[in-house]
Amino acid sequence: MHQAAVRPPGTGTGAVIVEFTNVSGRPCAVRGRPEVAGAGNGSPRSNRPLEVTPTGTSSEVLLAPGGKTWTKLTFVQVQGEGDGYCVSGTRPVTFPTLVIGLPGSGSHQVALDDGVVAECDNRVTATALQVRQPA
């Protein structure tokens, strides 16, 4: 998972690209959007599900062995300097990892390649799974 090139303004993570690879020896098909939770900092009981707002049209993505698919997750952005603040008045939250559930493919814990995910309001917008990496 890495920060997206196109992110909303603010000081938090803003948006990330999550890549999934077919590691089986057979072709597979995936469809839909992920479920997303902030990982519970060492305790699965502390995972925090995020409300996912879907965007884009979902269609089946066929993956050959070694094939990749992506989704872009856009968070409610943290504002300001230092610890930052949320426009809504809630407190910003940071997660060292996310738990991503793919339809028919189980859950996967992923880390940002440079830092942590910071977000407000426990909401995220997720694109449908796609063959081309989004910006």
Side-chain angles (χ1 to χ4, degrees), residues 105-123:
S105 299
S107 294
H108 311 273
Q109 190 166 359
V110 296
L112 191 59
D113 63 3
D114 61 347
V116 297
V117 172
E119 61 90 22
C120 292
D121 303 337
N122 298 320
R123 294 192 333 247

Side-chain angles (χ1 to χ4, degrees):
M1 178 170 67
H2 63 272
Q3 289 196 36
V6 177
R7 300 186 301 267
T11 56
T13 308
V16 298
I17 306 299
V18 184
E19 174 185 290
F20 299 95
T21 303
N22 178 1
V23 295
S24 76
R26 301 176 307 183
C28 71
V30 292
R31 181 184 187 111
R33 291 170 188 81
E35 293 179 347
V36 181
N41 298 320
S43 172
R45 291 184 308 276
S46 298
N47 285 357
R48 182 177 294 178
L50 303 181
E51 179 184 327
V52 177
T53 300
T55 185
T57 303
S58 176
S59 61
E60 188 171 75
V61 176
L62 300 174
L63 298 175
K68 298 178 186 299
T69 186
W70 291 269
T71 186
K72 181 177 183 179
L73 304 177
T74 303
F75 301 94
V76 177
Q77 184 65 298
V78 176
Q79 304 295 313
E81 298 295 328
D83 291 337
Y85 67 95
C86 297
V87 172
S88 67
T90 63
R91 291 189 68 211
V93 178
T94 60
F95 299 107
T97 60
L98 297 176
V99 177
I100 310 290
L102 286 181
S105 299
S107 294
H108 311 273
Q109 190 166 359
V110 296
L112 191 59
D113 63 3
D114 61 347
V116 297
V117 172
E119 61 90 22
C120 292
D121 303 337
N122 298 320
R123 294 192 333 247
V124 63
T125 299
T127 64
L129 296 171
Q130 44 197 299
V131 178
R132 292 183 48 204
Q133 183 172 343

